[in-house]
Amino acid sequence: MLYPHVKKQDPAVYKALMGEEERQRDGLELIPSENYVSKAVREANSSNLTNKYSEGYPGKRYYGGQTYTDIVENIARDRAKKLFDCKFANVQPHAGAPANVGMYFALLNPGDTVLGMDLSHGGHLTHGHPVTYLTKIYKFVRYKMKDADTGEIDYDEMREVAKREKPKIVLAGYSAYPRELDYAKFVSIAREVGALAVMDIAHIAGLIAGRAMKNPFDFGFDIMTTTTHKTLRGPRGGMILTRDNEEIAKKIDKSIFPGLQGGPLMNTIAAKAVCFGEALSPKYRTYAKQVLKNAKAMEKVFKSANIRMITGGTDSHLILADVYGSLGIGGQDAETVLDEVGITLNKNSIADDTRKPMDPSGIRFGTPAITTRGFKEKECAKVAELMIETLKNKNDKKIHRRVREDIRKMCKKFPIPDAFV
Ligand code: DSN
């Protein structure tokens, strides 16, 4: 039985948890930043380490009783370094946003400049959105895609802006951009202006770890920030990796603690260690490659239906489709109607969107979670067909009922697995 103690003590919370169990079991998760973790990761995440304070780092803590926390954090760090081929790993960031904030605090002084992707072209809030406090401290300047239908980054513009603005950081990495990058070009522009090359790999960390996508460290990137959930399939959390510069790694450690955070979430760090162990297995490489094949299978169906995809398609786990431009249905309506048939994804702005963020032109979806369920190209193509059928018939309740039933059957045939190794 699930959650027996919550059930006995707190029926209201128990009811919500069980409702979420059912939602995850009987529906398809296409939000590209979500996944299902193994039972081992869940056990570690809810372990006795939630009781422990461990300010500091292994061997240098501010509280006693650290024999086992040190073991766990060292395992997590060592596995992370192996997974991403680098010399230093800080596994303490509570999530992706604090990882990025801690990275900025470590490397910049107030008033310094960061060159990042235009936010409407796929960048992230922490890459300098005006609603964040970061923009009160640092100056963010932008590069863009040359053409939203091919996804090619305008590297000439990037070089020009870099020469003019003299950033301290050239930042790559996105939450809604589905193409591989020319990492060598990023690094050469960063070197030309004396900046550090930093990549936020949050979305594709698992695909890099699984050797399905290129590793920016192989091209000379200095630092990578990431989350540990999403494609990597670990607990919700963050991490900062430094390729080989010990001085930078020390600054990052100081920035995360005591600069930004207090006690690390040692239970989450144990779950990160377990996830990294899974990601080092040969089975994980097969998973990462299948995530990409499955996204390609969905791309093919969207292409044949003449639905515009930003950048023309995908090289990764995610697709950003212009449903307003192609089908006349806004992002919010598309999200709602798909939710009703058991497909969860998110509305998303497209490049230079003329519609509002709460009802943009696009939907963003991806294959990490359905690939964890065991879906292959055939099932993913079927899901894409069901999505398009639902969107094209957004008011036809009979079709919705049939699609919901098809999805229930698929979920039954491909249950969420307990273990991956
Ligand atoms: N919320 C994450 C995503 O969905 O991409 C990024 O912060």
Side-chain angles (χ1 to χ4, degrees):
M1 190 215 275
L2 278 167
Y3 316 119
H5 299 92
V6 184
K7 183 178 183 189
K8 198 165 158 209
Q9 184 177 313
D10 196 327
V13 171
Y14 175 74
K15 205 169 155 214
L17 293 181
M18 290 311 287
E20 178 63 11
E21 284 291 334
E22 194 181 314
R23 191 192 70 80
Q24 293 189 15
R25 186 191 60 217
D26 296 343
L28 293 181
E29 187 52 73
L30 292 192
I31 294 177
S33 48
E34 295 188 13
N35 213 330
Y36 308 111
V37 302
S38 66
K39 285 269 159 72
V41 165
R42 273 172 75 153
E43 276 177 18
N45 206 27
S46 60
S47 66
N48 51 8
L49 291 176
T50 199
N51 297 333
K52 190 72 197 107
Y53 251 131
S54 308
E55 281 102 325
Y57 290 98
K60 274 184 270 168
R61 307 271 193 195
Y62 288 84
Y63 290 75
Q66 305 292 347
T67 310
Y68 303 104
T69 51
D70 278 7
I71 291 173
V72 161
E73 189 164 348
N74 279 328
I75 294 174
R77 295 202 295 199
D78 289 346
R79 288 181 182 167
K81 290 187 263 177
K82 205 165 163 195
L83 267 181
F84 293 96
D85 290 332
C86 61
K87 290 222 171 101
F88 305 97
N90 185 309
V91 295
Q92 293 196 2
H94 297 333
N100 281 342
V101 174
M103 175 274 291
Y104 293 135
F105 285 175
L107 306 177
L108 302 173
N109 289 314
D112 280 348
T113 299
V114 177
L115 173 57
M117 173 78 129
D118 190 280
L119 299 171
S120 79
H121 285 218
H124 186 254
L125 282 178
T126 56
H127 299 176
H129 195 286
V131 298
T132 64
Y133 295 131
L134 291 166
T135 54
K136 294 189 200 294
I137 309 174
Y138 309 118
K139 181 177 174 194
F140 289 85
V141 292
R142 305 275 161 229
Y143 57 89
K144 280 181 154 191
M145 287 183 272
K146 213 181 219 170
D147 177 356
D149 286 317
T150 65
E152 193 194 344
I153 304 267
D154 193 339
Y155 292 103
D156 295 333
E157 182 201 24
M158 186 194 287
R159 176 171 279 110
E160 251 174 54
V161 181
K163 281 182 160 168
R164 191 177 64 234
E165 301 283 349
K166 311 247 174 318
K168 291 272 168 59
I169 290 174
V170 171
L171 183 63
Y174 320 101
S175 53
Y177 175 82
R179 294 297 186 183
E180 273 275 26
L181 297 168
D182 187 340
Y183 292 126
K185 274 206 180 120
F186 274 87
V187 171
S188 91
I189 292 168
R191 299 281 182 266
E192 220 177 302
V193 298
L196 289 164
V198 178
M199 168 88 177
D200 177 344
I201 60 168
H203 260 263
I204 58 169
L207 306 173
I208 295 170
R211 306 295 191 262
M213 289 185 83
K214 294 184 282 186
N215 184 341
F217 282 149
D218 292 343
F219 300 83
F221 265 72
D222 302 289
I223 293 144
M224 303 204 290
T225 60
T226 188
T227 50
T228 51
H229 40 289
K230 302 193 175 84
T231 47
L232 195 49
R233 210 164 54 184
R236 305 195 72 76
M239 172 162 72
I240 307 178
L241 304 160
T242 305
R243 181 164 53 91
D244 62 3
N245 187 320
E246 190 169 3
E247 205 185 315
I248 291 177
K250 280 187 178 155
K251 282 186 188 166
I252 285 170
D253 282 353
K254 267 175 83 175
S255 173
I256 290 295
F257 176 83
L260 179 66
Q261 296 186 167
L265 310 175
M266 289 311 302
N267 52 314
T268 304
I269 290 175
K272 289 174 188 174
V274 174
C275 150
F276 300 158
E278 290 170 359
L280 283 165
S281 71
K283 266 189 169 174
Y284 189 83
R285 292 193 180 192
T286 311
Y287 162 73
K289 289 191 177 71
Q290 191 64 47
V291 168
L292 296 194
K293 287 188 209 163
N294 285 350
K296 277 282 171 208
M298 296 186 87
E299 174 199 279
K300 201 170 155 200
V301 176
F302 271 71
K303 225 175 226 168
S304 340
N306 288 320
I307 296 177
R308 177 176 180 241
M309 287 169 282
I310 303 306
T311 80
T314 183
D315 299 328
S316 70
H317 62 303
L318 82 82
I319 289 174
L320 183 56
D322 177 3
V323 282
Y324 187 72
S326 305
L327 300 171
I329 176 166
Q332 179 59 67
D333 274 356
E335 182 190 292
T336 305
V337 72
L338 288 167
D339 216 8
E340 278 164 21
V341 299
I343 294 176
T344 310
L345 46 62
N346 65 280
K347 57 182 171 288
N348 212 101
S349 297
I350 60 170
D352 306 315
D353 209 329
T354 50
R355 292 168 64 87
K356 296 198 174 84
M358 285 312 282
D359 188 14
S361 299
I363 53 170
R364 188 187 68 151
F365 57 95
T367 51
I370 51 175
T371 306
T372 294
R373 281 189 107 120
F375 280 32
K376 296 267 176 20
E377 290 94 318
K378 191 175 120 209
E379 290 78 26
C380 290
K382 168 92 179 151
V383 173
E385 281 159 12
L386 291 174
M387 285 169 71
I388 294 167
E389 188 184 4
T390 306
L391 292 175
K392 283 188 171 164
N393 298 284
K394 68 170 182 152
N395 296 316
D396 190 330
K397 295 289 172 208
K398 200 168 151 209
I399 289 183
H400 296 181
R401 275 196 296 278
R402 203 236 318 125
V403 172
R404 182 73 192 96
E405 213 29 59
D406 284 355
I407 283 165
R408 261 186 226 289
K409 280 187 201 144
M410 290 176 102
C411 290
K412 213 166 178 185
K413 190 164 167 203
F414 294 90
I416 300 167
D418 287 345
F420 312 124
V421 286

